[in-house]
């Protein structure tokens, strides 16, 4: 077959056509579907054109790479799209440095299935489209070049690709390409879509300071490395991406995305990082997805910023079902909507000083190593329900501004929430703490919801010690909680209410509320009662309730110097009456024994004084009277202890103490410190009868009424009933100081008794009046 070619001066030369054909039947992986015939004229003396000659044949015909380049450029001036086709060509190194390759048409330069030693467009410009699909290229260099047409190098094999500072104005497709050598795209610019999907990078892939401006996944106008394999180091430091995808990518060596700016949606779903993945200080301005990504070594996201886009309904960043086989480091990272559902951290998880500005979903998260939440801030609700922390968890000074959900979470090692701040509701319901947990100084403020418990530990299993010292609650609930170790609530404050209904663990439980403030709520004793130490505690409107286990309810509460601030004893009168109004008795178990203050007579006296003051303040007169009785009783016990055991007390001091003890005993026996009206009434009205019996005994007690053992003074024989009646009559008129004079004392003892009865009348009637007025007026 011959064809005409245009020569110089417009003459036409008759030349035969190149005999090269490409048969796709011989290449099962070829993208061409029909046989392609070379449209170029054969070289003089050869059956093939300069593009399809072998290297040896070109040498034999004295055709060098410059001749090939000139012929290629000449073809660009021909208005025939076929002249830009070089399918299956075998080409030497093509040097186009500083060249502007721009034909009269925009026909694509087609090098499909070609074998090219190299193409060098350094500092040049290519305005044609370039098709290197399934080609083999030794060295492709476009450093500081501008390519304005589409580039399709899919499924090619490129030994080395150098595109530093290059600019690609249209789409670039390297999908399925294998780069056997290094790739250098530092400071390259991809203004439209760029595809590296399924690419194999056998050596270092350097994309530092890359700029990819594609901004649409829908139109394919983005950068994609989906299913790519990076056998060498992958460097993307300080790159600037629009929309980019690394879905299914594999990074077999170190990966560097430090200070990278992801300006559009970013996808790493299913990606695998075999070595360190460095995302320090990276910025994700739109949604980022790491669903089912796998990090086999350290995953560094220190200082990374996940700001998300305008689509508030979706997660701004998701690590759902991601696997971190070593440490996951998010120190100082910033999140908006964050999703860590079902993520598996097999090493440590570090969120030190991280900030979550929107909702964080950590449902079913698993961390095998240490979890560090120190100084982290959750500005919106966070969900950890169903998660498992197999290593230590530290949340010192962590701030939870929104609801914090830790329901059914398992904490296998020591857990620390010291100084943590829960500004909304905190729910630890049904969680399990298998080791010691501390909430020292934690603040459960819970201002957002005044109906429910702001801090719920309902059904929680504390298998180790639980330390809530100095914690502050608005409302806290521990219904159904199980404590196997020490329950330390010393100096805790429940500003509004507390609810305790504990279930003892395998060993004895004991709740230490020393110095605590409980302003309201209830403490319920279950079938197996748990003792509560309320030493120096402050009880407000708290209801105590529960079933009996052989002891009175209040016996399970150690009241020692307890402040009763409007505590309503009237709710517990039945228990108190059965217990003789005793509140300081305390039933101990194997867990008790170390108390802040010993129960001495002095502290017991002060305890009842505080109880009396509280009962008086709320108008509970019966309780006030009984606690006053107990108070003075233990005052006497205290003074007796001093008399018996204080050897440094001088004589005058002992006299005063003895007088105090005597007066206290007299007041107890006669009127119950003004609280036993029947007793003083009995003394007042029955004491003269005792004197009357003495008067009729005769001897020194003889009166004019006579004696039951001797004749009367008038010589008549007395009758016992008559003498007894007269003796009682004389005693009562003497006691009442009426003194009719019809009967008088005879014996010396009778004279003494008669004189003393007048004084006893004043004393006992005064005590009777005092007690009566206290009963009527309810005073102290």
């Amino acid at each position: 077959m011959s064809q005409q070619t245009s020569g110089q001066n417009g003459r036409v030369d008759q030349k035969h056509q190149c005999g090269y054909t490409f048969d796709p039947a011989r290449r099962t992986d070829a993208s061409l579907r029909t046989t392609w015939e070379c449209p170029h004229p054969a070289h003089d003396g050869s059956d093939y054109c300069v593009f399809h000659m072998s290297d040896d044949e070109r040498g034999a015909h004295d055709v060098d790479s410059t001749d090939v380049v000139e012929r290629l450029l000449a073809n660009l001036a021909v208005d025939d799209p076929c002249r830009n086709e070089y399918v299956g060509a075998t080409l030497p190194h093509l040097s186009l440095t500083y060249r502007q390759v721009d034909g009269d048409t925009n026909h694509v330069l087609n090098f499909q299935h070609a074998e090219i030693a190299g193409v060098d467009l350094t500092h040049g410009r290519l305005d044609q489209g370039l098709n290197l699909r399934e080609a083999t290229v030794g060295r492709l260099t476009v450093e500081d070049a501008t390519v304005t047409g589409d580039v399709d190098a899919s499924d090619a094999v490129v030994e080395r690709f150098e595109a530093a500072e290059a600019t690609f104005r249209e789409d670039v497709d390297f999908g399925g390409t294998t780069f056997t050598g290094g790739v250098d795209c530092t400071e390259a610019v991809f203004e439209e879509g760029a595809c590296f999907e399924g690419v194999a990078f056998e050596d270092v892939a350097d994309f530092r300071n890359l700029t990819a401006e594609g901004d649409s996944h829908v139109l394919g106008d983005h950068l994609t490395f989906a299913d790519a394999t990076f056998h060498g180091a992958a460097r993307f430091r300080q790159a600037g991406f629009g929309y980019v995808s690394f879905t299914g990518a594999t990074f077999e060596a170190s990966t560097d995305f430090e200070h990278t700016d992801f300006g559009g949606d970013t996808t790493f779903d299913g990606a695998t990082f075999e070595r360190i993945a460095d995302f320090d200080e990276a910025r994700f301005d739109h949604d980022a997805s790491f669903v089912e990504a796998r990090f086999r070594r350290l995953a560094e996201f220190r200082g990374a910023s996940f700001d998300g886009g305008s689509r508030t309904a979706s997660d701004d960043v998701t690590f759902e079902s991601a696997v971190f086989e070593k440490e996951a480091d998010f120190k100082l990272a910033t999140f908006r909507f964050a999703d860590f559902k079902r993520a598996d951290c097999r090493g440590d998880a570090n969120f030190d000083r991280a900030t979550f500005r929107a909702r964080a979903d950590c449902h079913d998260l698993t961390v095998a190593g240490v979890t560090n939440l120190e100084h982290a801030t959750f500005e919106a609700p966070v969900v950890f329900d169903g998660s498992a922390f197999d290593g230590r968890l530290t949340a010192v000074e962590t701030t939870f501004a929104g609801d914090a959900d830790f329901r059914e979470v398992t904490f296998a090692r020591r857990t620390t929430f010291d100084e943590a701040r829960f500004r909304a509701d905190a729910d630890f319901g049904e969680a399990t703490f298998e080791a010691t947990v501390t909430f020292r100084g934690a603040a459960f403020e819970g201002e957002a919801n005044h109906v429910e418990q702001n801090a719920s530990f309902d059904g929680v299993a504390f298998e180790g010690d639980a330390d809530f010292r100095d914690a502050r609650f608005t409302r806290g609930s521990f219904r159904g909680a199980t404590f196997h170790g020490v329950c330390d609530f010393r100096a805790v404050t429940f500003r509004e209410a507390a609810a305790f209904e504990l279930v003892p663990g395998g060993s004895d439980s004991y709740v230490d509320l020393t110095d605590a403030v409980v302003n309201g709520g209830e403490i319920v004793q279950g079938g197996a009662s748990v003792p509560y130490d309320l030493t120096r505690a402050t009880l407000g409107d708290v209801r105590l309730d529960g079933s009996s286990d052989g002891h009175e309810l209040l016996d399970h509460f150690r009241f020692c110097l307890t402040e009763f601030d409007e505590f309503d004893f009237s709710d517990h009168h039945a228990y108190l009456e059965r217990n003789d109004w005793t509140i300081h008795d305390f039933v101990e178990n194997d867990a008790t024994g170390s108390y802040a203050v010993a129960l001495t007579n002095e502290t017991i006296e002060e305890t009842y004084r505080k109880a009396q003051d509280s009962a008086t303040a709320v108008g509970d007169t019966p309780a006030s009277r009984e606690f006053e009785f107990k108070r003075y009783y233990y005052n006497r016990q205290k003074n007796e202890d001093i008399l018996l055991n204080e050897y440094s007390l001088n004589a005058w001091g002992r006299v005063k103490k003895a007088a105090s003890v005597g007066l206290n005993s007299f007041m107890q026996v006669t009127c119950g410190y003004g609280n036993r009206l029947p007793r003083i009434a009995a003394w007042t009205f029955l004491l003269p009868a005792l004197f009357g019996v003495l008067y009729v005994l005769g001897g020194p007690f003889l009166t004019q009424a006579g004696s039951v053992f001797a004749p009367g003074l008038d010589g008549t024989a007395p009758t016992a009933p008559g003498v007894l009646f007269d003796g009682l009559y004389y005693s009562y008129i003497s006691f009442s100081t009426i003194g009719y004079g019809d009967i008088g004392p005879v014996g010396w003892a009778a004279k003494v008794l008669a004189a003393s009865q007048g004084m006893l009348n004043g004393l006992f009637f005064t005590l009777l009046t005092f007690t009566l007025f206290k009963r009527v007026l309810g005073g102290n």
Side-chain angles (χ1 to χ4, degrees):
M1 178 179 180
S2 63
Q3 98 179 37
Q4 295 182 340
T5 61
S6 297
Q8 293 180 356
N9 301 320
R11 76 175 181 271
V12 178
D13 297 327
Q14 296 290 330
K15 287 188 177 183
H16 65 279
Q17 184 175 330
C18 176
Y20 178 83
T21 61
F22 182 86
D23 185 2
R26 298 179 182 178
R27 293 278 302 272
T28 57
D29 60 341
S31 58
L32 292 175
R33 292 293 178 264
T34 60
T35 300
W36 180 84
E37 296 180 354
C38 179
H40 303 288
H43 188 70
D44 292 340
S46 174
D47 293 333
Y48 298 101
C49 66
V50 296
F51 306 106
H52 288 98
M53 283 182 177
S54 67
D55 290 338
D56 292 339
E57 190 174 1
R58 270 193 293 269
H61 288 81
D62 199 22
V63 176
D64 59 18
S65 61
T66 302
D67 296 328
V68 176
V69 170
E70 293 303 322
R71 183 64 61 86
L72 185 149
L73 294 176
N75 287 340
L76 290 172
V78 179
D79 189 14
D80 181 0
C82 293
R83 285 303 184 92
N84 290 334
E85 295 185 1
Y86 307 96
V87 176
T90 302
L91 300 173
H93 184 83
L94 305 178
S95 178
L96 298 169
T97 58
Y98 293 97
R99 294 286 190 103
Q100 180 168 338
V101 182
D102 55 346
D104 294 339
T105 67
N106 59 355
H107 298 150
V108 174
L109 292 173
N110 186 354
F111 290 96
Q112 288 189 77
H113 301 285
E115 294 185 7
I116 308 173
V119 178
D120 188 351
L121 194 65
T122 302
H123 304 298
R125 181 184 180 94
L126 176 63
D127 291 331
Q128 307 296 121
L130 181 61
N131 187 349
L132 292 171
R133 187 181 302 170
E134 298 173 320
T136 301
V137 183
R139 191 183 192 98
L140 180 58
T141 306
V142 289
E143 290 186 359
D144 196 28
T146 300
V147 181
T148 63
D150 292 340
V151 176
D152 184 353
S154 57
D155 298 314
V157 176
V158 180
E159 181 178 340
R160 184 170 181 81
F161 180 42
E162 297 177 345
E165 300 185 42
T167 300
F168 298 90
R169 297 280 173 79
E170 298 295 336
D171 292 342
V172 176
D173 187 358
F174 283 95
T177 294
T178 299
F179 293 96
T180 59
V183 173
D184 183 2
C185 287
T186 56
E187 298 190 37
V189 178
F190 294 91
E191 295 184 358
E192 297 293 335
C195 177
F196 290 86
E197 185 172 346
V199 168
F201 297 93
E202 301 289 348
D203 206 334
V204 174
D206 195 341
F207 292 89
R208 288 174 296 170
N209 294 95
L210 172 78
T211 300
E213 300 176 355
D215 58 2
S216 172
H217 278 312
V218 177
L219 300 178
D221 184 16
H222 65 286
L223 179 63
T224 176
F225 290 87
D227 298 314
T229 300
F230 296 83
H231 296 283
R235 299 170 182 169
F236 292 89
R237 181 184 292 242
Q238 294 181 321
F241 295 108
Y243 284 53
V244 62
S245 173
F246 288 88
T247 301
T250 300
F251 300 87
E252 295 183 353
S254 61
T255 307
D256 185 0
F257 285 93
E258 191 169 327
H259 294 284
T260 299
D261 188 356
F262 297 90
D265 286 354
T266 304
T267 305
F268 282 89
D269 294 349
T272 300
F273 299 86
E274 299 287 349
R275 294 291 185 266
I276 293 176
D278 185 355
F279 287 86
D280 286 353
E281 304 291 339
R283 182 182 179 90
F284 297 84
D285 294 328
H286 281 254
D287 295 346
S289 179
F290 290 82
V291 173
E292 296 184 354
R294 195 175 195 97
F295 300 86
R296 297 190 185 276
R297 293 291 186 270
L298 172 64
E300 277 193 322
F301 289 86
R302 290 193 174 198
S305 176
F306 299 92
D307 293 332
S310 59
R311 294 174 291 176
T312 57
S314 60
D315 296 319
D316 296 315
V317 59
T318 175
F319 287 89
E320 182 175 349
S321 301
V323 176
F324 301 87
E325 297 189 10
K326 299 296 182 180
E327 181 181 1
D329 191 351
F330 291 89
K331 182 178 181 179
L332 294 170
T334 303
F335 302 84
R336 284 186 72 243
F337 289 93
D339 183 357
F340 285 87
K341 289 194 302 289
R342 294 180 291 279
D344 184 4
C345 298
R346 298 175 183 176
D348 297 342
N350 185 10
F351 291 90
D352 179 21
R353 285 169 282 176
T355 300
F356 294 82
R357 294 199 172 99
R359 190 175 187 273
D361 189 347
C362 301
H363 173 78
D364 284 335
L365 170 68
T366 301
V367 182
V370 175
T371 302
N372 186 356
L373 296 175
E374 290 190 16
H375 305 281
T377 300
F378 296 87
E379 297 180 1
V382 56
V383 177
F384 285 96
D385 64 303
S387 296
F389 297 96
D390 297 329
R392 290 185 293 108
L393 184 144
T394 305
V396 175
E397 295 188 36
T398 303
T399 299
F400 299 89
D403 291 348
D405 186 351
F406 287 89
R407 288 191 62 82
E408 300 182 6
V409 173
T410 299
F411 301 89
R413 295 290 182 268
R414 184 181 182 91
T415 303
T416 304
F417 283 92
D418 292 351
E419 303 292 338
R421 187 164 188 171
F422 298 86
R423 292 180 177 170
D425 293 345
D427 189 354
F428 287 83
E430 307 297 332
T432 300
F433 295 92
E434 297 179 359
T436 298
V437 56
T438 65
F439 286 88
R440 293 183 187 176
F444 298 88
E445 298 173 356
E447 297 293 346
N449 192 333
H450 293 281
V451 178
E452 300 177 358
Q453 302 297 342
N454 301 123
S456 174
F457 291 85
D458 295 345
V460 172
F462 295 93
E463 297 181 3
D465 294 342
D467 187 349
F468 287 86
R469 274 182 287 176
D470 297 300
R472 302 182 304 280
F473 294 82
T474 298
R475 302 175 68 88
S477 177
F478 292 83
R479 297 184 186 277
T482 302
F483 287 87
H484 294 260
V486 175
C487 317
D488 191 345
F489 287 87
R490 283 176 285 176
V492 168
T493 299
F494 292 93
R495 187 163 57 86
E496 291 186 8
F500 284 92
E501 189 173 0
L502 306 185
V503 178
S507 58
D508 287 340
S509 299
Y510 157 60
V511 181
D512 189 351
L513 285 164
T514 300
D515 295 312
V517 177
V518 185
N519 287 325
E522 63 178 353
I523 302 177
V524 180
Q525 293 284 7
S529 298
V530 176
Y532 290 79
D533 185 0
L534 295 168
T535 301
R536 292 197 304 253
T538 299
L539 285 185
D541 186 13
V542 180
R543 186 176 66 87
L544 309 179
D545 199 0
S547 58
S548 175
D549 61 347
H551 301 281
E552 291 297 338
L553 171 67
L554 298 183
D555 289 344
H556 298 288
F557 297 90
R558 187 178 193 266
F559 296 107
C560 178
L561 302 180
T562 306
E563 295 282 351
F564 300 94
D565 184 10
E566 297 186 1
F567 180 79
D568 193 354
F569 286 100
S570 64
D571 289 339
H572 311 93
H573 278 189
Y575 290 109
L576 289 166
E577 289 173 358
R578 289 198 300 270
N579 220 28
D580 192 27
W581 296 89
T582 300
I583 62 172
H584 70 278
D585 282 349
F586 183 59
V587 177
E588 298 184 294
N589 59 24
D590 292 340
T592 60
S594 178
Y595 307 114
V597 179
L599 270 175
T600 64
N601 288 320
E602 182 177 5
T603 57
I604 295 174
E605 175 198 0
E606 183 64 13
T607 299
Y608 281 106
R609 185 194 66 76
K610 292 177 180 293
Q612 175 193 350
D613 291 345
S614 174
T616 301
V618 298
D620 188 354
T621 303
S624 176
R625 289 198 303 265
E626 296 300 332
F627 292 144
E628 184 184 31
F629 182 93
K630 294 290 186 180
R631 168 191 171 188
Y632 285 118
Y633 174 81
Y634 285 100
N635 174 269
R636 187 179 82 240
Q637 299 294 321
K638 176 189 70 176
N639 288 327
E640 287 179 352
D641 287 341
I642 293 174
L643 280 173
L644 295 175
N645 303 311
E646 185 57 60
Y647 298 105
S648 62
L649 196 66
N650 58 32
W652 177 240
R654 289 186 178 279
V655 169
K656 290 193 295 183
K657 285 295 179 185
S660 176
V661 169
L663 178 60
N664 187 300
S665 300
F666 175 77
M667 291 294 291
Q668 178 190 349
V669 172
T670 56
C671 64
Y673 311 109
N675 295 299
R676 298 291 186 266
L677 182 60
R679 182 182 300 181
I680 187 59
W683 274 109
T684 302
F685 293 105
L686 296 180
L687 183 62
L690 175 61
F691 280 78
V693 171
L694 293 176
Y695 286 139
V696 298
L697 294 178
F701 297 101
L702 183 64
T703 67
Q704 292 175 339
S707 170
V708 293
F709 302 111
L713 295 178
D714 56 1
T716 62
T719 61
V723 171
L724 181 59
F725 176 81
D726 289 341
L728 292 174
Y729 163 75
Y730 170 70
S731 178
Y732 274 97
I733 63 172
S734 297
F735 184 76
S736 61
T737 67
I738 295 176
Y740 291 116
D742 52 340
I743 298 177
V746 177
W748 68 268
K751 293 177 181 179
V752 172
L753 290 180
S756 65
Q757 276 192 285
M759 293 184 292
L760 289 176
N761 168 272
L763 175 61
F764 277 85
F765 269 99
T766 299
L767 290 177
L768 176 62
T769 303
F770 163 65
T771 305
L772 181 62
F773 269 81
K774 281 191 65 176
R775 173 62 62 91
V776 173
L777 300 179
N780 289 330

